[in-house]
Amino acid sequence: MTEPALESTTKILLVRHGQSVANAGGRTTNHDTNPLTELGQTQAMHFAEHLDCTPTLFIVSPFLRAQQTAQPLLRRFPDVPVEEWPIQEFTFLDPTLHNDSTEEDRQPHVLDYWRRQDPAFTDGLGAESFQQFLDRAREAIRRLMKTNPGGCVVIFGHGFFMQAFRLVLLFPNATDAALMASFRRFHVANFIRNADTLEFSIQDGKIQLIGQPQVAGFTL
């Protein structure tokens, strides 16, 4: 009798982009074209030089800072396929109202947004709701589960998106309202620094966090 084929195991590394101009306190005119600083470029090079797996697939956010972070590793492995997925950062403020602003400038508007506790609220043209943001994270997980490409998949993304990715895995039955109410608390308690990575695996039809004990005791 022929033995059934073993399902491949996929290692997934989610990588936050290196330090951006906005992260360093600088003014930015467009959220998606916010570039890396010199330190961010150094962080990207360091990550590329010290990656200890051989990638089988690169997935990159459409935002410039994530693409710039990916470049040193793409140059190291030029034959690995690259896919751009909608895993960009959460844009919850209307970008047309905050051109040429700093993170400090935007802080009062940020606080107003989170005080609403309304996952369906959209701030304006070019912004998305918290529901839409979570749905993008869920879709990325579904897409990874469906394709399960095997090997080592490296995903270049953003801090809030990475937090949403693991929150919806940790609490698959939670409502969007419950996730929103706890999101910033989770983000602060489990902060992801520039160029930090989160590891996951897909095996036997399941996706799970690897080596992240700090999130185990978190409750909504």
Side-chain angles (χ1 to χ4, degrees):
M1 183 175 64
T2 303
E3 292 291 331
L6 294 176
E7 184 178 350
S8 61
T9 298
T10 300
K11 176 179 179 177
I12 300 168
L13 294 177
L14 266 66
V15 187
R16 186 185 176 200
H17 61 81
Q19 185 194 65
S20 69
V21 168
N23 296 152
R27 293 186 176 275
T28 54
T29 57
N30 194 316
H31 193 50
D32 57 353
T33 58
N34 169 29
L36 295 183
T37 62
E38 184 176 346
L39 173 59
Q41 297 281 4
T42 299
Q43 290 169 331
M45 288 292 298
H46 184 270
F47 174 78
E49 291 168 357
H50 293 87
L51 183 72
D52 60 1
C53 70
T54 300
T56 50
L57 175 65
F58 294 127
I59 298 171
V60 187
S61 156
F63 280 12
L64 177 62
R65 55 194 181 276
Q67 296 193 357
Q68 288 179 327
T69 303
Q71 282 306 309
L73 193 61
L74 268 60
R75 288 194 295 267
R76 180 181 167 191
F77 296 98
D79 298 327
V80 175
V82 182
E83 297 181 5
E84 184 177 288
W85 287 16
I87 56 171
Q88 66 271 17
E89 187 58 295
F90 183 26
T91 303
F92 54 87
L93 296 180
D94 182 345
T96 64
L97 301 178
H98 302 283
N99 283 334
D100 194 31
S101 65
T102 66
E103 290 187 348
E104 184 177 0
D105 295 334
R106 295 188 291 273
Q107 192 61 20
H109 306 279
V110 170
L111 294 175
D112 285 345
Y113 173 83
W114 290 103
R115 286 190 190 111
R116 285 178 174 270
Q117 291 297 301
D118 181 359
F121 171 74
T122 303
D123 188 52
L125 187 66
E128 66 180 338
S129 71
F130 191 76
Q131 287 177 340
Q132 292 169 322
F133 169 55
L134 290 181
D135 285 344
R136 286 196 291 111
R138 293 177 179 124
E139 178 56 29
I141 292 168
R142 283 193 291 266
R143 193 169 173 181
L144 286 165
M145 293 285 290
K146 181 178 179 180
T147 57
N148 192 15
C152 182
V153 177
V154 184
I155 303 177
F156 291 92
H158 307 264
F160 269 19
F161 187 88
M162 292 164 68
Q163 301 288 32
F165 191 98
R166 60 179 173 180
L167 259 181
V168 298
L169 285 177
L170 286 167
F171 304 101
N173 299 316
T175 65
D176 290 352
L179 292 174
M180 186 175 194
S182 297
F183 186 85
R184 295 185 76 207
R185 180 167 58 92
F186 182 84
H187 175 64
V188 171
N190 303 285
F191 190 72
I192 303 169
R193 296 169 299 178
N194 292 119
D196 273 356
T197 64
L198 302 179
E199 184 176 345
F200 304 81
S201 69
I202 301 175
Q203 188 173 22
D204 300 326
K206 298 178 182 178
I207 184 169
Q208 60 183 355
L209 289 71
I210 303 296
Q212 300 174 50
Q214 76 277 12
V215 305
F218 188 87
T219 57
L220 296 183

